[in-house]
Amino acid sequence: MARPKTYIIKLSDDERATLQKTIRNKKTCKTVLKRCQILLELDEEQGTGLTHAQLAHSYAVCPATMTNIVKSYVRNGIKDIIRYNISPNPSAALRKVDGRAEAHLIQMACSPAPEGHPRWTLRLLEEKARIELDVPVGRETIRRALKKMNSDPTRMPTGASLPKKTQNL
């Protein structure tokens, strides 16, 4: 036996019209479009009467998304459904090291190690980068930049050479 519905959705004519207008708008993103379509389907008066699991399967979303859409509508109204929530801190997604800084890091790592050290370490590179670069860069960022370039001079002492491959003819 199924549990009784916690949230019952009954859309007004204005809300239904707003959702339809949002769906018809060509600039609406996919996320908001799906939310609007799902909410129209969940409407008690004019919806299809499908269960959350059936709707989740037909719209290719997980059941938790269905629950989140319903909760969002019940708690915050239609405005929360038709608005795409962008992160309040978009600068967090920006890369700290661009191509110029990566090239500078690799140049530093390929240069001779500082006096008294047999090779570069990430801590030494971090200290030198703090002095030479405009943006403070952490050890993990330096490690990722070096790994991305398939360059890890911190593993090999300076002056050491790689073994040469011999070809059998």
Side-chain angles (χ1 to χ4, degrees), residues 43-100:
D43 187 17
E44 290 288 323
E45 295 175 6
Q46 293 184 3
T48 57
L50 297 174
T51 65
H52 284 214
Q54 291 169 334
L55 285 174
H57 182 70
S58 66
Y59 283 102
V61 295
C62 65
T65 301
M66 297 292 297
T67 305
N68 291 339
I69 291 170
V70 171
K71 281 183 184 178
S72 177
Y73 170 71
V74 170
R75 291 182 182 164
N76 304 323
I78 198 79
K79 288 180 233 157
D80 204 42
I81 298 296
I82 62 174
R83 181 175 45 107
Y84 187 68
N85 299 328
I86 298 173
S87 172
N89 189 7
S91 63
L94 296 176
R95 295 176 60 201
K96 289 210 174 195
V97 177
D98 58 352
R100 181 194 60 80

Side-chain angles (χ1 to χ4, degrees), residues 37-163:
Q37 291 170 336
I38 288 171
L39 202 57
L40 283 172
E41 295 280 340
L42 288 172
D43 187 17
E44 290 288 323
E45 295 175 6
Q46 293 184 3
T48 57
L50 297 174
T51 65
H52 284 214
Q54 291 169 334
L55 285 174
H57 182 70
S58 66
Y59 283 102
V61 295
C62 65
T65 301
M66 297 292 297
T67 305
N68 291 339
I69 291 170
V70 171
K71 281 183 184 178
S72 177
Y73 170 71
V74 170
R75 291 182 182 164
N76 304 323
I78 198 79
K79 288 180 233 157
D80 204 42
I81 298 296
I82 62 174
R83 181 175 45 107
Y84 187 68
N85 299 328
I86 298 173
S87 172
N89 189 7
S91 63
L94 296 176
R95 295 176 60 201
K96 289 210 174 195
V97 177
D98 58 352
R100 181 194 60 80
E102 280 182 2
H104 197 82
L105 282 171
I106 292 169
Q107 182 183 11
M108 284 191 301
C110 291
S111 67
E115 189 74 27
H117 295 280
R119 64 176 187 255
W120 281 105
T121 62
L122 290 177
R123 289 183 192 264
L124 288 172
L125 284 170
E126 180 186 17
E127 289 172 12
K128 188 166 181 181
R130 187 175 295 139
I131 295 168
E132 292 188 14
L133 295 177
D134 302 332
V135 180
V137 179
R139 282 190 309 269
E140 182 62 17
T141 306
I142 294 170
R143 186 195 66 78
R144 271 189 259 129
L146 292 174
K147 183 177 180 180
K148 186 171 104 176
M149 294 298 157
N150 226 2
S151 166
D152 194 4
T154 61
R155 299 275 183 204
M156 181 179 18
T158 55
S161 61
L162 294 173

Side-chain angles (χ1 to χ4, degrees), residues 16-30:
R16 221 174 279 114
T18 303
L19 290 173
Q20 291 290 349
K21 182 180 174 188
T22 306
I23 290 171
R24 283 192 302 269
N25 187 356
K26 293 187 189 271
K27 293 184 179 181
T28 304
C29 68
K30 287 182 182 181

